[in-house]
Amino acid sequence: MRVPSLPGVLTAAEVERTAASLASMQEPDGAVPFTTGQHADAWNHVEAAMALLVGGRVAEAEAAYDWVLRLQRPDGSLPMRVERGEVTDARGEVNISAYLAVGVLHHWQVRGDSSLVERCWPTVARALDWVVAQQADWGGLTWTPTEEGALLAGSSSVYQSLRAGLALLDLVQDSTPGRRERWEAATGRLGHAVRHHRDRFLDKSTYSMDWYYPVLGGAVRGAEAQALLATRWDDFVRPGLGIRCVDTNPWVTGAETAELVMALDAVGAHEDAHRLLADVQHLRAEDGGYWTGWVYGDDVVWPQERTTYTAAAVVLAVDALAARHGTGTGGSGIMRGEGLAPHPPETGLRCGCPDALPISPEA
């Protein structure tokens, strides 16, 4: 398989080196922790599996997916935190539980391996059944069954996961009675909430993730997405360095920068995306891994750790931008929504709004 490259950012050999750095931190049971000796969660773990695959590490990626299959509980949820094989935070969380669907679809797009899809499908289906059961009447997803409120970034990511799940449902020809209808209705209501009721989510506006995730997750597209990204550009973007994680601290982070790159790519802002991805390469380490962040003013790396989720986000961002140069993988468009199910219509709303028309493919 072809490993992507991006002129002026990373060569294919450098992407392979980053994938090797991820593989070096993978534990014997397949788990990919935040960094060596730390905990894992299934969302960041799946992102790492996607990057391992893009970097040519097929066996390691598939071992990572098998780890998720063993982790799922009978109700379909996945625990929030696992440390060296032990669950250290047993709460189920919607975003963590849902993201396997994106990883499995991505693997299919890159490899065309139906056996992995079939092996993972029961876990994906149970997870998404559990996730849609956590939906509030107004459309947001209560982030855990024991906590109040919905998180905007997490719910935006679940929107992508549900569309990936619907695409997989078609691929495996799942005919479970009512499943498609439940998922489509929940996805339509969730997309409506992210587009029209962002004020009803928990206020995490100090974090850059709440700014760009409605675009990255695909619920907000077109002119509305471009306008949304313009609203806080100056608050978060630091030219030459990347973007801030939170608007209160002089700290740029590689993972958030790479995710914003993919959001920009999804709305056609390719020059800004390329420039930001090149800017954040100052966090690249000699082994191909990436430091988490940089405190400007003090001009120091902080914390002193190379994190798998940062390296993974950079690899996926390279692949996304590589598509325009003909050097991307078959999964390079997943953050642009390529291969996902169509946006479901905003129908069956319970938030007090009238049902809306179907979302256009360009949205």
Side-chain angles (χ1 to χ4, degrees):
M1 59 174 282
R2 177 174 60 194
V3 173
S5 61
L6 185 63
V9 181
L10 292 179
T11 65
E14 287 170 327
V15 172
E16 289 176 342
R17 188 164 174 78
T18 299
S21 79
L22 285 169
S24 73
M25 289 189 271
Q26 188 172 27
E27 296 175 350
D29 65 355
V32 183
F34 279 24
T35 193
T36 301
Q38 289 193 11
H39 72 280
D41 72 55
W43 194 101
N44 288 285
H45 168 92
V46 166
E47 183 183 46
M50 294 165 69
L52 283 165
L53 184 64
V54 167
R57 296 278 179 159
V58 179
E60 290 90 339
E62 294 187 357
Y65 286 118
D66 286 337
W67 179 82
V68 181
L69 306 192
R70 295 191 300 270
L71 190 64
Q72 189 178 52
R73 281 88 66 95
D75 67 356
S77 69
L78 296 168
M80 193 174 295
R81 182 183 176 114
V82 181
E83 202 162 345
R84 297 179 181 178
E86 298 294 327
V87 174
T88 54
D89 188 338
R91 290 177 297 169
E93 199 266 1
V94 290
N95 186 35
I96 285 173
S97 299
Y99 203 58
L100 177 63
V102 176
V104 172
L105 181 62
H106 176 262
H107 194 283
W108 164 257
Q109 291 175 337
V110 176
R111 294 279 292 168
D113 181 359
S114 60
S115 65
L116 183 126
V117 174
E118 291 165 1
R119 186 163 81 247
C120 293
W121 174 248
T123 304
V124 170
R126 286 193 299 267
L128 294 183
D129 282 344
W130 179 82
V131 165
V132 300
Q134 313 310 314
Q135 190 166 42
D137 282 347
W138 58 273
L141 293 164
T142 304
W143 70 288
T144 83
T146 58
E147 317 291 331
E148 293 185 0
L151 297 172
L152 178 57
S155 290
S156 298
S157 177
V158 173
Y159 184 78
Q160 181 192 28
S161 296
L162 285 167
R163 290 178 64 205
L166 285 163
L168 290 169
L169 184 148
D170 286 335
L171 186 63
V172 302
Q173 299 182 326
D174 184 304
S175 58
T176 302
R179 176 170 279 159
R180 176 188 298 279
E181 292 76 14
R182 289 195 305 274
W183 290 8
E184 286 183 341
T187 308
R189 289 194 293 268
L190 178 59
H192 175 83
V194 173
R195 286 185 284 270
H196 302 290
H197 297 305
R198 290 194 286 273
D199 60 324
R200 300 190 67 170
F201 291 89
L202 295 172
D203 183 8
K204 302 290 182 180
S205 56
T206 189
Y207 291 89
S208 58
M209 291 177 67
D210 261 31
W211 164 53
Y212 64 76
Y213 248 92
V215 178
L216 183 63
V220 181
R221 282 289 193 257
E224 183 184 353
Q226 293 169 354
L228 176 59
L229 292 177
T231 59
R232 304 207 63 192
W233 185 268
D234 292 338
D235 294 335
F236 290 113
V237 176
R238 290 295 171 266
L241 294 176
I243 76 167
R244 298 162 84 179
C245 176
V246 292
D247 62 11
T248 55
N249 298 336
W251 183 47
V252 294
T253 49
E256 281 78 3
T257 303
E259 288 181 337
L260 176 60
V261 165
M262 291 184 277
L264 290 165
D265 174 67
V267 298
H270 303 300
E271 291 183 7
D272 285 336
H274 193 285
R275 183 170 56 252
L276 274 173
L277 192 56
D279 285 349
V280 84
Q281 296 308 312
H282 69 95
L283 293 176
R284 186 175 176 85
E286 289 184 3
D287 68 348
Y290 282 80
W291 300 103
T292 301
W294 173 265
V295 181
Y296 56 90
D298 291 342
D299 294 342
V300 294
V301 165
W302 186 85
Q304 286 286 326
E305 60 185 23
R306 295 187 294 277
T307 39
T308 55
Y309 57 80
T310 303
V314 170
V315 168
L316 295 178
V318 167
D319 194 28
L321 299 191
R324 296 183 67 237
H325 301 272
T327 57
T329 72
S332 64
I334 196 162
M335 297 302 177
R336 293 189 293 274
E338 295 174 9
L340 303 183
H343 297 279
E346 299 178 357
T347 56
L349 301 181
R350 304 167 183 169
C351 55
C353 298
D355 285 3
L357 295 173
I359 308 302
S360 71
E362 295 79 22

